[in-house]
Amino acid sequence: MENGKQGGNSLADEVLTVVAVIPRGKVATYGQIADLAGHPGASRSVGRALQTGHHRADFPRHRVVNSSGRTAPGWGAQRDLLEAEGVTFKENGCVDMAKHAWSGPSGT
DNA sequence: AGACTGACGATCC
DNA sequence: GGGATCGCCAGTC
């Protein structure tokens, strides 16, 4: 059951899969990814999974922001990457979640 | 095996 | 609405 999409993957591995399905020009929160990954509440581990688990260079990890729409600290390039995809930022430096909040894999 | 840390979230002021 | 504090989960040392 459970088809062959997964197979005993750890949180980090599923997180990568979830983030990979985020459409361009959209952004998702760590909590949302954690939930989709099957680990609700593990938002903290999600961030670490992306930080330490940077496997692919084409991986859209810059589409992952916190609940405030804030980009990752110490990562100034994230904002530039999102703007390049059409994502707009506010003066306070937060992503316009009101327009770019990802609805999930079912809300494409 | 155990303890600390951390790219967060929610709640309180 | 913004800022600060506590709590939760899993990974890394």
Side-chain angles (χ1 to χ4, degrees):
Chain A
M1 321 359 212
E2 270 37 272
N3 62 75
K5 184 182 115 190
Q6 49 156 271
N9 302 344
S10 36
L11 184 152
D13 198 55
E14 300 214 23
V15 167
L16 299 173
T17 305
V18 176
V19 177
V21 293
I22 301 175
R24 175 178 168 288
K26 291 271 190 160
V27 292
T29 66
Y30 295 93
Q32 178 151 17
I33 292 167
D35 179 67
L36 295 171
H39 295 263
S43 52
R44 306 194 62 114
S45 302
V46 173
R48 191 135 7 171
L50 289 167
Q51 181 183 51
T52 62
H54 48 87
H55 300 272
R56 303 177 63 94
D58 59 295
F59 193 76
R61 62 157 131 155
H62 56 263
R63 290 181 192 153
V64 188
V65 298
N66 63 28
S67 59
S68 303
R70 224 4 202 179
T71 46
W75 194 13
Q78 184 172 19
R79 178 170 173 168
D80 186 67
L81 291 164
L82 290 170
E83 290 185 299
E85 298 196 335
V87 178
T88 54
F89 278 73
K90 300 170 99 175
E91 291 73 52
N92 50 330
C94 296
V95 178
D96 198 333
M97 301 297 286
K99 298 179 185 176
H100 305 289
W102 186 39
S103 304
S106 302
T108 29

